Amino acid sequence: MPDMIQSVKTDKFEMPYAKFGEGPKTLLIIPGLSLKNVLNSAASVEVSYKMFKQDYTCYLFDRIKDAPEGYTISQMAEDLAETLQILGIRNADVFGTSQGGMVAQYMAISHPELFHKLVLASSSSRAEPQQVKCIGGWSIMAREGRAEELVDSFIDNCFTEKFVARWRKVLLKMNSGATPEELHRFAIMSAACQGVDTYDDLGKIKCPVYVIGAENDTVVTGVASEKIAAKLQAENVPCEFFMYKEMSHAVYDEAPDYKQRILDFFGRE
């Protein structure tokens, strides 16, 4: 792994993370599901987030090593919160994508002191039927070792047809060759998404939130983002909302203005 990879170890878990940038503010990046550990691509992530490096010290987290069967989103949140407390991080700007956004919701509800502002990207607060169908299907494919079918479904559901037509070979290379251990890990992580249930507690979030969805999201649905934003606004949580038209789940990787959009949000007083 790159030199930027570090790790927090407790008597309960080990949490690897990547750190880059030297700015005075703190950015936490909590990614969604991935067949391969996202930290293996930390150098590429650093390049992708170069516009943040002057103002921020950036932390990229995946999930704990050797997650147990039945590992839940709320447990992910508590383990990450403990990691941040060990690292002395609080009052951070947080960018959570997909499952990472689910983790961030639980953290923001239970540990508000860790947050300055929060961006929830293509996420959900309760599993919509389409989410159960899509991510639940991925979990089954991973359990049954149907790796090629899983990769195809993952790519086709996460990205727009136009993006896939151009980048399919690259995406296949990035996601192919999953080991039995990686498939087992993915099955555990994907199964956890079905249990997300933060909706009734969203009013406990104290920090400003920017909810960004994608109209053609076939993973968690754009409706899920709409519901989060509407609930936050109804609970008087400061919330901005934006929906990308004709975009898919991984719009945060496709839309050229996405990172500038969240950087602008973090910078607004």
Side-chain angles (χ1 to χ4, degrees):
M1 285 189 177
D3 292 339
M4 68 177 72
I5 304 300
Q6 302 178 44
S7 188
V8 167
K9 296 181 181 180
T10 74
D11 57 356
K12 296 181 294 182
F13 62 82
E14 179 178 356
M15 178 77 80
Y17 65 94
K19 181 180 177 182
F20 56 89
E22 298 179 352
K25 298 189 288 186
T26 301
L27 173 66
L28 307 182
I29 304 167
I30 313 176
L33 292 168
S34 59
L35 271 165
K36 302 286 187 175
N37 191 315
V38 70
L39 297 180
N40 292 334
S41 304
S44 297
V45 174
E46 180 181 12
V47 172
S48 181
Y49 286 82
K50 62 183 178 182
M51 68 172 60
F52 291 84
K53 291 173 61 178
Q54 181 175 343
D55 295 330
Y56 285 92
T57 299
C58 305
Y59 293 81
L60 171 67
F61 293 94
D62 195 340
R63 308 291 184 266
I64 64 169
K65 286 188 174 181
D66 303 319
E69 287 287 353
Y71 194 48
T72 65
I73 304 287
S74 60
Q75 288 174 316
M76 296 177 200
E78 287 304 310
D79 288 343
L80 181 51
E82 183 174 345
T83 299
L84 299 180
Q85 290 160 352
I86 291 169
L87 293 172
I89 293 173
R90 58 186 295 128
N91 199 38
D93 288 328
V94 180
F95 178 42
T97 65
S98 193
Q99 186 185 77
M102 302 175 199
V103 173
Q105 290 170 59
Y106 278 102
M107 288 175 58
I109 290 164
S110 299
H111 303 278
E113 74 283 355
L114 299 176
F115 289 74
H116 175 245
K117 288 188 175 183
L118 169 61
V119 174
L120 296 175
S122 302
S123 196
S124 65
S125 58
R126 281 179 179 159
E128 298 291 327
Q130 175 60 27
Q131 177 178 315
V132 173
K133 177 182 177 182
C134 181
I135 302 180
W138 291 347
S139 185
I140 292 170
M141 291 176 201
R143 290 280 184 198
E144 296 178 352
R146 292 148 55 193
E148 290 186 9
E149 185 180 353
L150 171 58
V151 170
D152 283 338
S153 179
F154 189 83
I155 291 171
D156 290 337
N157 279 283
C158 285
F159 301 96
T160 61
E161 290 183 7
K162 182 178 179 180
F163 189 86
V164 171
R166 182 178 181 184
W167 297 107
R168 188 174 197 92
K169 288 184 179 179
V170 174
L171 293 168
L172 284 171
K173 185 176 181 180
M174 290 172 58
N175 290 284
S176 295
T179 65
E181 292 76 17
E182 287 171 331
L183 289 171
H184 178 68
R185 176 182 183 275
F186 185 87
I188 292 171
M189 296 302 173
S190 54
C193 289
Q194 316 303 19
V196 61
D197 188 13
T198 59
Y199 182 83
D200 290 337
D201 291 325
L202 289 175
K204 297 178 182 178
I205 294 177
K206 305 300 184 185
C207 67
V209 184
Y210 192 9
V211 179
I212 309 178
E215 192 174 57
N216 294 336
D217 187 336
T218 58
V219 179
V220 301
T221 77
V223 170
S225 292
E226 291 176 344
K227 289 182 178 179
I228 293 172
K231 179 65 171 177
L232 289 169
Q233 291 165 355
E235 297 283 353
N236 296 315
V237 177
C239 176
E240 298 180 32
F241 177 61
F242 184 80
M243 181 73 78
Y244 277 92
K245 306 296 183 182
E246 300 179 0
M247 293 295 285
S248 295
H249 182 72
V251 57
Y252 41 82
D253 286 333
E254 285 195 51
D257 66 335
Y258 204 105
K259 292 180 180 64
Q260 187 62 55
R261 183 178 293 279
I262 62 175
L263 185 60
D264 290 344
F265 168 70
F266 287 147
R268 286 196 288 274
E269 292 301 329

